[in-house]
Amino acid sequence: MPVDATPDPYADPMAFGQRMQILRTRRGLSRPVTAGLLGRSPSWVKQVERGEIGMPKLPVVLRIAELLRVRDLADLTGDQSAPVDLFIGPGHPRLQAVRDAVNTLSLSSDREAPPAAHLSARLAKAWAARHQAANHREVLGELLPGLIRDAQLAVRQADSAADRRAAQAVLSETYSLAQFFLAYQPESALLWRVAERGMVAAQESEDPHAIGVAAWLAAQAHRDSGPTHFDAADSMTMEALAYLERFLPDGDDRVRAIAGALQFEAGYTAARRGMKGAAWGWWDKAQTTAKRLPTTYYHPVTSFSQAIMGAHAVTVAVELRAGGESVRQANTADAQAIPSRPRLARHRIEEARAYQLNGQQETALATLERAHEAAPETIRYNGYARRIVLEETESKVPERRRRAAVLAERLGLLAA
């Protein structure tokens, strides 16, 4: 390796502190910011990175891994003997079939494509099935290959410009559905490819709802890539909101809901930046939009609704690292009003983060058990949940340690 080359944190041997410094720098985080998010001093971070302090205990290591969005704990610790994926879950058994459907583009076919209306009805049933299923990736993995191929075929066989736009809208939403399946699986390149195709199809459709959904998912993908991508997430969100503004006066509930979902995404990213005023300001705007929707309305893609705003408030408080406020919001939110099993499980995970921030580890663990009851696949693929469970396997309280070990085994966390 040339002497001026950037060190590779995955190369052995390399000390924990060196790996931490390289990964922190790649994420665009300064030492003071890193220290603040970890609840430590900048001098502590500096000492760890220089090797003046040895590798911290597991709970601290896990929080560093969460902050740096490390995929595998071994990438940070250097210990390859027991790899533990954190923010990337296991590959689903149906991943290969979905990958093949995305990557295969048959330009000739003897069969006739289903009408766009028929595909839209299938999509609606797929979204409903996802919300009702405890193992929603299994459901989507079964439905997606056929939907992807049929939607692609409908675009190619469209006879008129109007038919082609309608088919593109269906194809875009099909790719949106695929992103829910692919998220947090070991196929980041495929996820980005699907996101980009979804955005292209949405723009070709000229459908404001399809464009809004594609932008919403793209903004999430950028934000989850780390602080250096927050500007891209905000840019995507703001451009989509500006585009949708002219459709809102006469738009249907779907258009209003995707605008509200984007408003919350702006608040979510602001909270990740630590911008308290902006985060709650955008939440207020989303709340105003939600109140303009029918009480029973529930957006099938984003879950945006009146029912979800309490859960969104928990997320904002958690991302702002406000433990007491997080618990207050968790106690206020009506979880039973959330009709989607995977979204309810996600909310339970956010509640668990709130309780842990507030020093209520036992309640946090019990809440993760409730998340597992609601939707096992949601918690299995969620990095925050995985981190909390692993921390509790090191608890000094025997009962918490035992419960955490049972849940870790259910999640397949410690498998080599």
Side-chain angles (χ1 to χ4, degrees):
M1 177 185 293
V3 294
D4 60 346
T6 302
D8 182 359
Y10 310 111
D12 289 321
M14 185 174 284
F16 173 87
Q18 292 174 290
R19 292 170 182 268
M20 177 178 169
Q21 181 176 8
I22 294 166
L23 292 166
R24 173 182 62 76
T25 303
R26 288 187 178 182
R27 283 293 178 197
L29 293 171
S30 67
R31 277 180 179 153
V33 169
T34 301
L37 293 172
L38 292 174
R40 301 279 179 159
S41 67
S43 62
W44 181 87
V45 174
K46 184 177 181 179
Q47 288 176 305
V48 171
E49 292 183 346
R50 288 187 171 186
E52 297 169 8
I53 297 177
M55 186 170 71
K57 292 184 178 180
L58 181 60
V60 179
V61 171
L62 290 168
R63 294 189 185 195
I64 294 171
E66 174 189 333
L67 177 63
L68 301 180
R69 302 296 292 185
V70 173
R71 169 178 170 175
D72 190 320
L73 196 58
D75 295 341
L76 180 61
T77 65
D79 181 5
Q80 303 294 327
S81 61
V84 178
D85 283 336
L86 289 175
F87 285 88
I88 299 295
H92 194 277
R94 295 189 183 274
L95 177 59
Q96 182 63 51
V98 174
R99 182 194 297 118
D100 290 345
V102 172
N103 289 339
T104 302
L105 185 62
S106 176
L107 297 178
S108 61
S109 177
D110 296 332
R111 65 188 181 90
E112 184 176 350
H118 172 78
L119 287 173
S120 293
R122 284 168 59 186
L123 265 175
K125 289 182 178 180
W127 285 116
R130 175 188 177 270
H131 289 302
Q132 295 164 6
N135 293 313
H136 46 95
R137 279 185 172 80
E138 177 65 24
V139 170
L140 295 186
E142 182 177 2
L143 296 174
L144 275 168
L147 275 169
I148 291 170
R149 292 188 176 98
D150 285 351
Q152 290 175 341
L153 191 62
V155 170
R156 292 198 299 273
Q157 292 184 2
D159 291 328
S160 67
D163 288 344
R164 185 175 179 81
R165 286 194 297 270
Q168 290 281 22
V170 173
L171 179 59
S172 177
E173 190 171 332
T174 301
Y175 283 137
S176 297
L177 188 67
Q179 288 179 69
F180 278 84
F181 173 82
L182 293 170
Y184 308 116
Q185 292 202 55
E187 270 286 2
S188 57
L190 183 63
L191 176 65
W192 278 107
R193 187 153 63 251
V194 167
E196 289 168 356
R197 289 186 185 180
M199 179 59 75
V200 170
Q203 293 183 63
E204 290 290 331
S205 75
E206 300 179 10
D207 183 301
H209 177 258
I211 292 171
V213 168
W216 179 78
L217 284 163
Q220 289 191 347
H222 281 297
R223 187 181 60 241
D224 287 346
S225 296
T228 56
H229 295 261
F230 286 174
D231 286 347
D234 279 335
S235 177
M236 186 70 67
T237 302
M238 298 309 166
E239 287 184 26
L241 282 171
Y243 170 78
L244 289 172
E245 188 172 356
R246 66 180 181 273
F247 297 100
L248 293 178
D250 301 317
D252 58 19
D253 289 337
R254 295 190 319 153
V255 174
R256 199 167 288 113
I258 193 56
L262 284 160
Q263 288 168 337
F264 171 69
E265 286 306 309
Y268 195 158
T269 305
R272 282 275 182 93
R273 293 181 186 270
M275 300 167 60
K276 180 178 178 180
W280 286 115
W282 279 110
W283 184 90
D284 286 339
K285 290 180 181 180
Q287 171 78 322
T288 299
T289 301
K291 288 180 178 179
R292 293 173 180 157
L293 295 169
T295 304
T296 58
Y297 181 83
Y298 196 82
H299 191 253
V301 181
T302 67
S303 295
F304 191 80
S305 57
Q306 292 187 33
I308 209 66
M309 291 310 300
H312 282 340
V314 176
T315 295
V316 170
V318 167
E319 292 295 342
L320 289 170
R321 316 300 290 177
E325 178 64 14
S326 299
V327 170
R328 190 185 74 78
Q329 293 292 348
N331 291 336
T332 301
D334 183 7
Q336 299 307 317
I338 302 174
S340 167
R341 292 187 66 160
R343 189 60 186 83
L344 174 59
R346 164 73 188 282
H347 173 57
R348 294 298 187 202
I349 293 167
E350 296 294 275
E351 286 183 320
R353 294 177 68 197
Y355 290 125
Q356 193 191 48
L357 272 174
N358 204 42
Q360 301 179 42
Q361 281 80 5
E362 187 170 344
T363 306
L365 187 57
T367 305
L368 288 180
E369 290 171 341
R370 297 173 72 187
H372 189 267
E373 291 173 5
E377 282 192 348
T378 296
I379 183 172
R380 190 179 185 204
Y381 286 81
N382 186 280
Y384 298 115
R386 295 155 76 86
R387 188 262 295 169
I388 293 172
V389 171
L390 282 172
E391 282 192 29
E392 290 304 305
T393 62
E394 296 287 311
S395 172
K396 294 180 180 179
V397 181
E399 177 58 19
R400 277 180 20 212
R401 191 166 62 244
R402 183 195 66 77
R403 291 171 66 181
V406 170
L407 190 51
E409 184 177 0
R410 290 176 181 172
L411 300 181
L413 269 178
L414 304 179

